[in-house]
Amino acid sequence: MIIDKIKKRSTIGEEPASSSHADIPVGKWVKCNKCGEIIYKDKLHENNSVCPLCNYHFRLSARRRVWQITDEDSFKPFEELQNIKTVNPLNMPEYIDKLTSLQEKTGMTEAVYCGIGKIKGEEAVICVMNANFFMGSMGSVVGERITYSIEKAIELKLPLIIFSASGGARMQEGIISLMQMAKTSSAVAKANEAGILYISILTDPTYGGVTASFATLGDVILAEPGAMIGFAGTRVIEQTINQKLPNGFQTAEFLLEHGFIDKIVERKDMKDTLYKLIKFNK
Amino acid sequence: MSGNLTAWEKVEIARSPNRPTALEYVDYIFDEFMELHGDRTSTDDKSMVCGLARIGEQNYTIVAEQKGRNTKENIERNFGMPNPESYKKGIRFMKQAEKFGRPIITFIDTKGAYPGITAEERGQGEAIARSMFEMSKLKTPIIVIVIGEGSSGGALAIGVGDKILMLENSVYSVLSPEGFASILWKDGSRKEEAAEKMKLTAEDLYGFKVIDEIIKEPIRWSRKNCFRKCWRKFKTKNYRNY
């Protein structure tokens, strides 16, 4: 029982399950991963899920992210994408089990949420990856949804905005996951030729096959402060080269210094910045 | 300032640390400016400032050589001397401008491209050539403005445009007068004589038909006046009617 309560405290994003004991608030407090401050959850959400003390940007669920950057009730998800299912190419029953349980738990059908929404009145195709779902990994369904969204942006001549948060390609779908990198990259190339504005936002964490495909191909690449972004994970690099990695390695700030990011944008300024960028490119 | 300045005096004015730097012009000219970073290969060189700007409903891409105004800023900006990566960054933004049909405005203010071991290793010469090569292919209008020192290939690298303008007291030359004197006469101290011989003032260049227009500066030169004058002139004449 107590263990359950502690566990619930550490979850953020979705509303907590209701408690039978109304007088005991459960899951109302969150501990900051960076400074350790205990924050009242409502307060945290009011502050865009950013620690008021140390400016740590908590990971966001896709729904909350969409809610933060789009105008009220303007976001319409692509319904036609909801029923695309993986064929489970490696025939792993435990993969389907895990997928089903995650779908029940998060209420999302896959690790990316796509649709059309308005940002201060400017319409755009928006995709948001969900790190809470299979670590945001890219399998065939995620690849297809992203590609479909890019093609939709070309068709409707709308700006394309993708929030990445992913551990990389989804191992459970093997080579088919790898191929999503080529598929999404080709789609971005088509969008580029069609003159579509593509704004890519790298959020914590963006790694592997997502970094190495559509996420780093934006006309403008933004990142949230402190987000971890890279190709190979830090542990893999450390084990391979047998060296300790420098402080701040693979952070958004590190990438800015090395020329891979246009601008680091705090969450509270994200909607405004996206709006401005769309206006600049009209 | 009166028109009776010697060439060397103009060089000194162009180099003056009190002269406005590119970012200050940008702030004064445009209604809105958003700086963006990175060459997408290895670094974000701060001697070149790139970004998006707007006057009214018209959007522009800015590519500017940026000097610092004090030692600390200058170290950060590499004394306004671009590295090969700076030009790559510039090209990236200029190509993007073409994609979205934005006119490009470049501001030239440099002693020259950075002369260093690392810059040579990474192909400084090629980077300058590539920049001119790409600029000449762009299908979007380019306005070039020399605001201070325009020295050598480091300046010309972002100086290929449809309209080339110079501020009255800026200079634009094949290299610095000191360098010129030292190469020709093996005596760098004859810089004043060199400045005179080199024909590097805005008037000289206008005479050569190398530039299209001279932007007058205020008689009593001060930072504030200079800003105002430039601001008015740029806004009313050079940009709105383009």
Side-chain angles (χ1 to χ4, degrees):
Chain A
M1 187 68 186
I2 286 174
I3 296 285
D4 283 347
K5 280 180 189 168
I6 293 169
K7 272 187 182 166
K8 275 172 188 164
R9 279 181 198 189
S10 65
T11 59
I12 58 146
E14 307 301 334
E15 288 305 311
S18 60
S19 162
S20 52
H21 303 282
D23 52 333
I24 306 169
V26 173
K28 282 286 175 198
W29 298 86
V30 186
K31 190 175 176 185
C32 173
N33 292 347
K34 194 174 161 198
C35 68
E37 176 76 5
I38 309 288
I39 313 158
Y40 188 49
K41 205 167 185 178
D42 291 353
K43 199 113 191 157
L44 182 70
H45 287 160
E46 257 170 49
N47 200 31
N48 300 318
S49 300
V50 174
C51 174
L53 233 72
C54 70
N55 203 29
Y56 172 76
H57 283 51
F58 282 80
R59 288 180 186 175
L60 279 187
S61 71
R63 283 215 185 87
R64 192 171 286 278
R65 172 84 66 186
V66 165
W67 178 78
Q68 276 186 8
I69 61 152
T70 55
D71 302 344
E72 216 178 329
D73 296 329
S74 72
F75 188 78
K76 304 269 177 296
F78 295 130
E79 292 300 337
E80 58 272 38
L81 294 179
Q82 295 304 314
N83 296 321
I84 303 175
K85 286 195 174 68
T86 173
V87 295
N88 192 12
L90 301 190
N91 252 330
M92 294 168 78
E94 63 270 33
Y95 171 45
I96 297 297
D97 291 346
K98 193 175 176 194
L99 210 55
T100 318
S101 80
L102 272 169
Q103 283 166 343
E104 280 165 11
K105 200 174 137 198
T106 61
M108 308 288 289
T109 46
E110 253 296 349
V112 67
Y113 190 40
C114 310
I116 296 180
K118 282 186 180 163
I119 299 172
K120 292 190 169 188
E122 296 289 338
E123 222 174 24
V125 172
I126 301 168
C127 303
V128 181
M129 300 190 80
N130 198 347
N132 303 335
F133 192 104
F134 245 116
M135 206 54 212
S137 60
M138 176 164 69
S140 54
V141 179
V142 171
E144 175 56 25
R145 284 189 182 185
I146 299 253
T147 307
Y148 180 88
S149 304
I150 297 171
E151 284 168 354
K152 210 72 191 163
I154 300 172
E155 184 193 323
L156 302 172
K157 296 197 165 48
L158 288 178
L160 170 70
I161 296 170
I162 303 183
F163 282 85
S164 297
S166 174
R170 188 171 294 171
M171 294 305 128
Q172 288 85 343
E173 290 187 34
I175 190 75
I176 304 298
S177 289
L178 187 76
M179 291 303 145
Q180 303 309 314
M181 293 165 63
K183 178 170 159 176
T184 51
S185 300
S186 328
V188 174
K190 269 193 205 155
N192 188 45
E193 255 170 44
I196 300 295
L197 168 69
Y198 168 29
I199 305 171
S200 170
I201 302 104
L202 313 180
T203 66
D204 190 53
T206 299
Y207 272 90
V210 167
T211 300
S213 63
F214 62 89
T216 42
L217 294 173
D219 293 306
V220 181
I221 301 180
L222 308 176
E224 285 197 323
M228 294 297 289
I229 303 151
F231 177 62
T234 45
R235 201 177 24 164
V236 173
I237 299 174
E238 272 182 344
Q239 283 169 0
T240 310
I241 64 173
N242 224 347
Q243 276 175 30
K244 263 281 185 231
L245 295 169
N247 253 349
F249 183 70
Q250 288 187 333
T251 56
E253 291 73 13
F254 174 89
L255 265 80
L256 181 75
E257 199 184 308
H258 286 88
F260 295 101
I261 287 177
D262 283 283
K263 198 175 167 68
I264 292 179
V265 182
E266 293 203 9
R267 201 168 279 165
K268 64 176 162 52
D269 304 324
M270 189 58 83
K271 187 174 181 179
D272 205 40
T273 307
L274 290 175
Y275 169 74
K276 278 185 186 165
L277 280 169
I278 293 171
K279 290 288 276 182
F280 271 130
N281 290 287
K282 271 214 148 172
Chain B
M1 276 248 171
S2 70
N4 307 328
L5 293 165
T6 65
W8 177 249
E9 279 169 329
K10 287 205 171 182
V11 171
E12 285 188 316
I13 292 174
R15 287 177 181 175
S16 163
N18 289 325
R19 207 171 163 78
T21 59
L23 272 180
E24 287 164 289
Y25 285 108
V26 169
D27 278 349
Y28 271 78
I29 294 166
F30 299 94
D31 300 339
E32 206 176 327
F33 174 66
M34 185 190 286
E35 187 179 351
L36 297 174
H37 300 270
D39 68 345
R40 298 272 169 88
T41 38
S42 62
T43 186
D44 177 48
D45 202 298
K46 293 188 174 56
S47 58
M48 190 82 81
V49 168
C50 302
L52 308 173
R54 182 183 314 117
I55 300 176
E57 286 298 296
Q58 178 66 53
N59 295 315
Y60 301 89
T61 286
I62 307 296
V63 176
E65 285 164 337
Q66 176 68 23
K67 285 182 180 172
R69 267 164 305 138
N70 50 46
T71 313
K72 192 176 162 227
E73 269 184 39
N74 259 322
I75 289 169
E76 190 189 338
R77 302 280 181 195
N78 200 26
F79 295 83
M81 293 186 287
N83 273 299
E85 292 75 18
S86 311
Y87 298 115
K88 286 178 188 153
K89 177 175 164 184
I91 293 170
R92 176 170 93 79
F93 282 96
M94 289 194 267
K95 282 190 168 169
Q96 209 172 86
E98 185 184 39
K99 177 180 168 186
F100 294 109
R102 283 190 296 261
I104 299 164
I105 298 167
T106 71
F107 292 85
I108 292 180
D109 189 13
T110 184
K111 283 188 191 54
Y114 181 59
I117 297 173
T118 47
E120 293 299 321
E121 282 172 350
R122 299 193 302 265
Q124 185 70 283
E126 197 272 349
I128 292 170
R130 186 68 53 193
S131 184
M132 295 187 293
F133 176 85
E134 296 292 351
M135 279 182 99
S136 51
K137 287 199 303 182
L138 293 179
K139 291 180 183 67
T140 192
I142 304 172
I143 303 174
V144 177
I145 310 167
V146 185
I147 56 171
E149 267 184 294
S151 268
S152 181
L156 183 60
I158 58 163
V160 181
D162 301 286
K163 281 268 182 272
I164 320 288
L165 316 173
M166 264 178 94
L167 285 182
E168 192 181 2
N169 293 320
S170 62
V171 294
Y172 195 0
S173 58
V174 65
L175 85 170
S176 69
E178 290 90 340
F180 186 88
S182 119
I183 289 177
L184 251 60
W185 308 318
K186 314 240 176 319
D187 181 5
S189 64
R190 286 165 72 184
K191 56 197 178 187
E192 293 174 36
E193 194 186 335
E196 213 61 57
K197 284 237 156 50
M198 285 170 79
K199 300 208 179 297
L200 44 61
T201 66
E203 259 170 48
D204 293 330
L205 269 80
Y206 188 73
F208 285 134
K209 298 200 171 97
V210 169
I211 61 166
D212 296 293
E213 211 173 307
I214 299 173
I215 300 169
K216 291 278 181 205
E217 290 183 32
I219 306 278
R220 285 177 64 79
W221 198 91
S222 76
R223 288 174 67 83
K224 205 171 168 190
N225 276 340
C226 190
F227 279 153
R228 289 233 176 100
K229 182 96 175 181
C230 297
W231 181 82
R232 205 180 305 134
K233 178 103 181 172
F234 285 167
K235 260 193 133 169
T236 54
K237 195 166 176 196
N238 296 323
Y239 295 110
R240 296 261 195 230
N241 300 336
Y242 194 86

